[in-house]
Amino acid sequence: MRQLLLLIFVFFASQWLFKKLKRAQAAAGNAHAGAGTARTSRGPAASGAPQLPDPLVRCAECGVHTPSSEAIIAAGHRFCSVDHAQRHAARPTGRDAR
Ligand SMILES: [Zn+2]
């Protein structure tokens, strides 16, 4: 009786292993066969952008988050606008003034 249970267990285990192996082989085959065409045409549309092209940076003056491409960098700080950069520069000790 115990042997029968063991047999069933082995059967399921082997099936699971077989499935896993098959999936790994299929994945390897897909990557090998359609690496160029299938992925490039589908990649951007299907998955969307996994990461934003430019990360948001925090304005040192007002704390607003701005895309890094639009942010103004002055004196090692990032600002949402030139106005804030100038305002921050006019105040050498910004934290004390507050
Ligand atoms: Zn600002």
Side-chain angles (χ1 to χ4, degrees):
M1 196 60 183
R2 207 178 258 183
Q3 278 189 337
L4 191 74
L5 280 172
L6 196 79
L7 228 126
I8 289 164
F9 174 76
V10 167
F11 174 73
F12 276 112
S14 62
Q15 258 199 343
W16 176 76
L17 266 172
F18 182 71
K19 244 188 213 175
K20 208 175 170 186
L21 206 95
K22 209 172 174 185
R23 198 179 292 175
Q25 274 182 344
N30 281 346
H32 187 70
T37 51
R39 292 241 167 174
T40 42
S41 58
R42 272 192 189 184
S47 62
Q51 282 193 332
L52 290 167
D54 33 61
L56 292 174
V57 294
R58 195 167 168 274
C59 174
E61 183 66 22
C62 68
V64 159
H65 287 82
T66 317
S68 62
S69 60
E70 292 174 33
I72 284 96
I73 297 162
H77 294 286
R78 296 178 189 84
F79 303 95
C80 64
S81 61
V82 181
D83 184 45
H84 281 184
Q86 284 173 346
R87 203 192 291 179
H88 193 82
R91 245 193 295 153
T93 52
R95 283 176 199 165
D96 297 341
R98 240 174 242 177

